[in-house]
Amino acid sequence: ETGVTQSPTHLIKTRGQQVTLRCSSQSGHNTVSWYQQALGQGPQFIFQYYREEENGRGNFPPRFSGLQFPNYSSELNVNALELDDSALYLCASSLWDRGQETQYFGPGTRLLVL
Amino acid sequence: GESVGLHLPTLSVQEGDNSIINCAYSNSASDYFIWYKQESGKGPQFIIDIRSNMDKRQGQRVTVLLNKTVKHLSLQIAATQPGDSAVYFCAEIFLSGGYNKLIFGAGTRLAVHP
């Protein structure tokens, strides 16, 4: 086990609604990244937080936003949900140390948008 | 649990045989590479990594080979076991805009038959 936990495990929403997904990082890790994984594909990078600030973002619209808290837990918020947002959402925590970083993934939250 | 990678290429092997999973990467500036294993209903699990200044690294039952000339990565699994059945992703990591950008490959499903 990686020590990274996510909640909830599954979620069903309707188009237009908003959703908040949560992640608890591995102890000692200062960086969290969020990914979207559509069925049959590899994870796609959404954004990364380092010491509570966003320091990198993938090709996702602004309705995808996040937070990282002082205890390094994190949230992913998605507004105005669309059908194509249905996917597995993964968070990964890591320790940024002199440019080296291995990301450890949580089990994911499966989101279904109807 | 849900399925991961319904339409991914599949490598079928007999239990006890060696498996070789291949991956092509795109960015010649990538600093290091990671192989992840993803079982159904779970997040990606770190297997082994290799830095760009190496061409081979061995772990327990696994070996990763890196050929920078043709931008190719492979994962060799010795004495494949049923528990090795999963989807395998390679990921390339390079420093971009102050953070490590992690780009996943398409994935390969490994099916181990008794």
Side-chain angles (χ1 to χ4, degrees):
Chain A
E1 298 298 324
T2 63
V4 181
T5 60
Q6 292 186 244
S7 63
T9 55
H10 294 80
L11 200 54
I12 299 175
K13 291 285 188 178
T14 57
R15 193 170 45 183
Q17 284 189 312
Q18 179 267 342
V19 69
T20 298
L21 310 181
R22 294 178 174 82
C23 172
S24 179
S25 297
Q26 187 177 123
S27 178
H29 284 183
N30 56 15
T31 303
V32 65
S33 304
W34 284 91
Y35 294 83
Q36 180 194 67
Q37 186 176 25
L39 205 59
Q41 298 181 21
Q44 299 292 312
F45 175 72
I46 302 175
F47 44 56
Q48 181 179 88
Y49 279 79
Y50 171 67
R51 292 185 175 178
E52 303 175 55
E53 291 193 4
E54 183 181 299
N55 75 332
R57 190 177 184 93
N59 189 25
F60 280 81
R63 61 189 184 85
F64 285 78
S65 63
L67 285 172
Q68 186 185 31
F69 300 101
N71 65 356
Y72 300 127
S73 64
S74 176
E75 287 182 355
L76 165 66
N77 299 288
V78 187
N79 294 322
L81 283 166
E82 301 176 359
L83 298 181
D84 285 349
D85 295 334
S86 295
L88 180 68
Y89 287 85
L90 297 160
C91 79
S93 77
S94 53
L95 177 64
W96 176 265
D97 181 17
R98 293 185 294 275
Q100 296 203 107
E101 177 191 3
T102 296
Q103 297 186 11
Y104 296 90
F105 285 82
T109 293
R110 171 66 67 183
L111 173 65
L112 177 61
V113 183
L114 301 176
Chain B
E2 69 259 346
S3 297
V4 173
L6 291 178
H7 305 292
L8 294 172
T10 298
L11 174 66
S12 293
V13 300
Q14 291 293 122
E15 182 178 357
D17 286 352
N18 296 333
S19 303
I20 300 177
I21 301 171
N22 296 303
C23 175
Y25 64 93
S26 58
N27 192 333
S28 57
S30 292
D31 299 307
Y32 67 111
F33 305 85
I34 301 177
W35 279 100
Y36 285 96
K37 170 186 179 184
Q38 188 172 24
E39 297 174 281
S40 185
K42 297 183 178 181
Q45 175 189 354
F46 172 87
I47 302 174
I48 190 168
D49 61 1
I50 186 169
R51 296 206 66 86
S52 59
N53 60 355
M54 302 170 67
D55 52 23
K56 181 179 180 179
R57 190 170 186 210
Q58 288 185 292
Q60 188 175 20
R61 277 201 311 120
V62 296
T63 300
V64 56
L65 299 178
L66 174 62
N67 185 331
K68 293 181 288 294
T69 302
V70 295
K71 291 191 283 187
H72 181 268
L73 199 66
S74 69
L75 177 70
Q76 301 177 2
I77 304 174
T80 312
Q81 303 169 358
D84 295 326
S85 293
V87 177
Y88 289 81
F89 293 99
C90 69
E92 56 181 311
I93 300 95
F94 57 95
L95 192 61
S96 172
Y99 71 99
N100 280 326
K101 194 168 186 179
L102 186 67
I103 306 294
F104 281 83
T108 297
R109 175 184 300 282
L110 177 65
V112 182
H113 303 286

